[in-house]
Coordinates of all heavy atoms in Angstrom, one line a residue:
M270 N 0.8 51.7 -12.0 CA -0.4 52.0 -11.2 C -1.6 51.1 -11.4 O -1.8 50.7 -12.6 CB -0.8 53.5 -11.5 CG 0.3 54.5 -11.2 SD -0.2 56.2 -11.6 CE -0.2 56.1 -13.4
L271 N -2.3 50.8 -10.3 CA -3.5 50.1 -10.4 C -4.7 51.0 -10.7 O -4.7 52.2 -10.2 CB -3.8 49.3 -9.1 CG -3.1 48.0 -8.9 CD1 -3.4 47.5 -7.5 CD2 -3.4 47.0 -9.9
G272 N -5.7 50.6 -11.4 CA -6.8 51.4 -11.7 C -7.8 51.5 -10.5 O -8.1 52.6 -10.0
V276 N -5.9 54.7 -9.2 CA -6.0 55.8 -10.2 C -7.3 56.5 -10.1 O -7.4 57.7 -10.2 CB -5.7 55.2 -11.6 CG1 -6.1 56.2 -12.6 CG2 -4.3 54.8 -11.7
D277 N -8.4 55.7 -10.0 CA -9.8 56.3 -10.1 C -10.1 57.1 -8.8 O -10.9 58.0 -8.8 CB -10.8 55.2 -10.3 CG -10.9 54.2 -9.2 OD1 -10.0 54.1 -8.4 OD2 -11.9 53.4 -9.2
P280 N -6.8 60.9 -8.4 CA -6.4 61.6 -9.6 C -5.3 62.6 -9.3 O -4.5 62.9 -10.2 CB -7.6 62.1 -10.2 CG -8.6 62.2 -9.1 CD -8.3 61.0 -8.2
V283 N -2.0 61.1 -9.3 CA -1.6 60.7 -10.7 C -1.1 62.0 -11.4 O 0.0 61.9 -12.0 CB -2.8 60.1 -11.5 CG1 -2.3 59.8 -12.9 CG2 -3.2 58.8 -10.8
K284 N -1.8 63.1 -11.3 CA -1.3 64.3 -11.9 C 0.0 64.7 -11.3 O 0.9 65.2 -12.1 CB -2.4 65.4 -11.6 CG -3.6 65.3 -12.4 CD -4.6 66.4 -12.1 CE -5.9 66.3 -12.9 NZ -6.8 67.4 -12.6
D287 N 3.0 62.7 -12.7 CA 3.3 63.2 -14.0 C 4.0 64.5 -14.0 O 5.0 64.7 -14.7 CB 2.0 63.2 -14.9 CG 2.3 63.8 -16.3 OD1 3.2 63.3 -16.9 OD2 1.5 64.7 -16.7
L293 N 4.7 57.3 -16.0 CA 3.4 56.7 -15.8 C 3.3 55.4 -16.4 O 3.6 55.2 -17.6 CB 2.3 57.6 -16.4 CG 2.2 59.1 -15.9 CD1 1.4 59.9 -16.8 CD2 1.6 59.1 -14.5
A294 N 2.9 54.3 -15.7 CA 2.9 53.0 -16.3 C 1.7 52.2 -15.7 O 1.0 52.7 -14.8 CB 4.2 52.2 -16.0
N295 N 1.4 51.1 -16.3 CA 0.1 50.4 -16.1 C 0.4 49.1 -15.3 O 1.3 48.3 -15.7 CB -0.4 50.1 -17.5 CG -1.8 49.5 -17.5 OD1 -2.2 48.8 -16.6 ND2 -2.6 49.8 -18.6
W298 N -6.1 47.0 -14.1 CA -7.2 47.7 -13.4 C -7.4 47.1 -12.0 O -7.5 47.9 -11.0 CB -8.5 47.7 -14.2 CG -9.6 48.5 -13.6 CD1 -10.7 48.1 -12.8 CD2 -9.7 49.9 -13.6 NE1 -11.4 49.1 -12.4 CE2 -10.9 50.3 -12.9 CE3 -8.9 50.9 -14.2 CZ2 -11.3 51.6 -12.7 CZ3 -9.3 52.2 -14.1 CH2 -10.5 52.6 -13.3
K312 N -7.5 42.3 -21.9 CA -7.4 43.6 -22.7 C -8.1 44.7 -21.9 O -7.6 45.8 -21.8 CB -8.0 43.4 -24.1 CG -7.8 44.6 -25.0 CD -8.2 44.3 -26.4 CE -7.8 45.5 -27.3 NZ -8.2 45.2 -28.7
R313 N -9.3 44.4 -21.3 CA -10.0 45.4 -20.6 C -9.2 45.8 -19.3 O -9.2 47.0 -18.9 CB -11.4 44.9 -20.1 CG -12.4 44.9 -21.3 CD -13.8 44.7 -20.7 NE -14.0 43.4 -20.0 CZ -14.4 42.3 -20.6 NH1 -14.6 42.3 -21.9 NH2 -14.5 41.2 -19.9
L315 N -6.2 46.1 -19.0 CA -5.1 47.1 -19.4 C -5.7 48.3 -20.0 O -5.2 49.4 -19.6 CB -4.1 46.4 -20.3 CG -3.3 45.2 -19.8 CD1 -2.6 44.5 -20.9 CD2 -2.3 45.7 -18.8
S316 N -6.6 48.2 -20.8 CA -7.2 49.4 -21.5 C -7.9 50.3 -20.6 O -7.8 51.6 -20.8 CB -8.1 48.9 -22.7 OG -9.2 48.3 -22.2
R317 N -8.5 49.9 -19.6 CA -9.2 50.8 -18.6 C -8.2 51.7 -17.9 O -8.5 52.9 -17.7 CB -10.0 50.0 -17.6 CG -11.2 49.3 -18.1 CD -12.0 48.6 -17.0 NE -12.7 49.6 -16.2 CZ -13.4 49.3 -15.1 NH1 -13.5 48.0 -14.7 NH2 -13.9 50.2 -14.4
V318 N -7.0 51.2 -17.6 CA -6.0 52.0 -17.0 C -5.5 53.0 -18.0 O -5.3 54.2 -17.7 CB -4.8 51.2 -16.4 CG1 -3.7 52.1 -15.9 CG2 -5.3 50.2 -15.3
Q319 N -5.2 52.5 -19.3 CA -4.8 53.4 -20.3 C -5.7 54.6 -20.4 O -5.3 55.8 -20.5 CB -4.7 52.7 -21.7 CG -3.7 51.5 -21.7 CD -2.3 52.0 -21.6 OE1 -1.7 52.2 -20.6 NE2 -1.7 52.2 -22.8
D320 N -7.0 54.3 -20.5 CA -8.0 55.4 -20.7 C -8.1 56.3 -19.5 O -8.2 57.5 -19.6 CB -9.4 54.7 -20.9 CG -9.5 54.0 -22.2 OD1 -8.6 54.2 -23.1 OD2 -10.4 53.1 -22.3
A321 N -8.0 55.7 -18.3 CA -8.1 56.6 -17.1 C -6.9 57.5 -16.9 O -7.1 58.7 -16.6 CB -8.2 55.7 -15.8
V322 N -5.7 57.0 -17.2 CA -4.5 57.8 -17.0 C -4.5 58.9 -18.1 O -4.2 60.1 -17.8 CB -3.3 57.0 -17.1 CG1 -2.0 57.8 -17.2 CG2 -3.2 56.0 -15.9
R323 N -4.9 58.6 -19.3 CA -5.0 59.5 -20.4 C -6.0 60.7 -20.1 O -5.8 61.8 -20.3 CB -5.4 58.9 -21.7 CG -5.4 59.8 -22.9 CD -5.5 59.1 -24.2 NE -6.6 58.2 -24.3 CZ -6.5 56.9 -24.3 NH1 -5.3 56.3 -24.3 NH2 -7.6 56.1 -24.3
K324 N -7.1 60.3 -19.5 CA -8.2 61.3 -19.1 C -7.6 62.2 -18.1 O -7.9 63.4 -18.1 CB -9.4 60.6 -18.6 CG -10.6 61.5 -18.3 CD -11.8 60.7 -17.8 CE -12.9 61.6 -17.5 NZ -14.2 60.9 -17.1
I325 N -6.8 61.7 -17.1 CA -6.3 62.6 -16.0 C -5.1 63.4 -16.5 O -5.0 64.6 -16.1 CB -5.9 61.7 -14.9 CG1 -7.1 61.0 -14.2 CG2 -5.1 62.5 -13.8 CD1 -6.7 59.9 -13.3
T326 N -4.2 62.9 -17.3 CA -3.0 63.5 -17.6 C -2.8 64.0 -19.0 O -1.9 64.8 -19.4 CB -1.8 62.6 -17.2 OG1 -1.8 61.5 -18.1 CG2 -1.8 62.2 -15.8
G327 N -3.6 63.4 -19.9 CA -3.4 63.6 -21.3 C -2.4 62.8 -21.9 O -2.0 62.9 -23.1
K328 N -1.8 61.9 -21.1 CA -0.7 61.0 -21.6 C -1.2 59.5 -21.4 O -1.9 59.2 -20.5 CB 0.6 61.2 -20.8 CG 1.1 62.6 -21.0 CD 2.3 62.8 -20.1 CE 2.8 64.3 -20.2 NZ 4.0 64.5 -19.4
T329 N -0.7 58.7 -22.3 CA -1.1 57.3 -22.3 C 0.2 56.4 -21.9 O 1.2 56.6 -22.6 CB -1.6 56.8 -23.7 OG1 -2.7 57.6 -24.1 CG2 -2.0 55.3 -23.6
P330 N 0.1 55.6 -20.9 CA 1.3 54.8 -20.5 C 1.7 53.9 -21.7 O 1.0 53.5 -22.5 CB 0.7 53.9 -19.4 CG -0.4 54.7 -18.8 CD -1.0 55.4 -19.9
R331 N 3.1 53.7 -21.7 CA 3.7 52.9 -22.7 C 4.3 51.6 -22.1 O 4.9 50.8 -22.9 CB 4.7 53.7 -23.5 CG 4.1 54.9 -24.2 CD 5.0 55.5 -25.2 NE 6.3 55.9 -24.6 CZ 7.3 56.5 -25.2 NH1 7.2 56.6 -26.5 NH2 8.4 56.8 -24.6
L332 N 4.3 51.5 -20.8 CA 4.8 50.4 -20.1 C 3.8 49.8 -19.2 O 2.9 50.4 -18.7 CB 6.0 50.8 -19.2 CG 7.2 51.6 -19.9 CD1 8.2 52.0 -18.8 CD2 7.8 50.7 -21.0
D350 N -0.9 45.2 -29.1 CA -2.1 45.9 -29.6 C -2.4 47.2 -28.9 O -2.9 48.2 -29.5 CB -3.3 45.0 -29.6 CG -3.3 43.8 -30.5 OD1 -2.4 43.8 -31.4 OD2 -4.1 42.9 -30.4
L351 N -2.1 47.3 -27.6 CA -2.4 48.4 -26.8 C -1.2 49.4 -26.7 O -1.3 50.4 -26.1 CB -2.8 48.0 -25.4 CG -4.2 47.3 -25.3 CD1 -4.4 46.8 -23.9 CD2 -5.3 48.2 -25.7
G352 N -0.1 49.0 -27.4 CA 1.1 49.9 -27.4 C 1.8 49.9 -26.1 O 2.5 50.8 -25.7
L353 N 1.8 48.7 -25.4 CA 2.4 48.5 -24.1 C 3.6 47.5 -24.2 O 3.4 46.4 -24.7 CB 1.4 48.1 -23.1 CG 0.4 49.1 -22.6 CD1 -0.8 48.3 -21.9 CD2 1.0 50.1 -21.7

Side-chain angles (χ1 to χ4, degrees):
M270 300 178 292
L271 279 176
V276 169
D277 63 345
V283 177
K284 287 182 180 179
D287 176 50
L293 303 164
N295 189 327
W298 187 258
K312 187 172 184 177
R313 283 195 299 271
L315 294 168
S316 64
R317 290 185 70 184
V318 177
Q319 298 292 86
D320 294 342
V322 172
R323 182 169 55 248
K324 183 177 180 180
I325 293 168
T326 67
K328 299 177 182 178
T329 305
R331 299 191 303 177
L332 305 177
D350 289 346
L351 293 174
L353 288 164

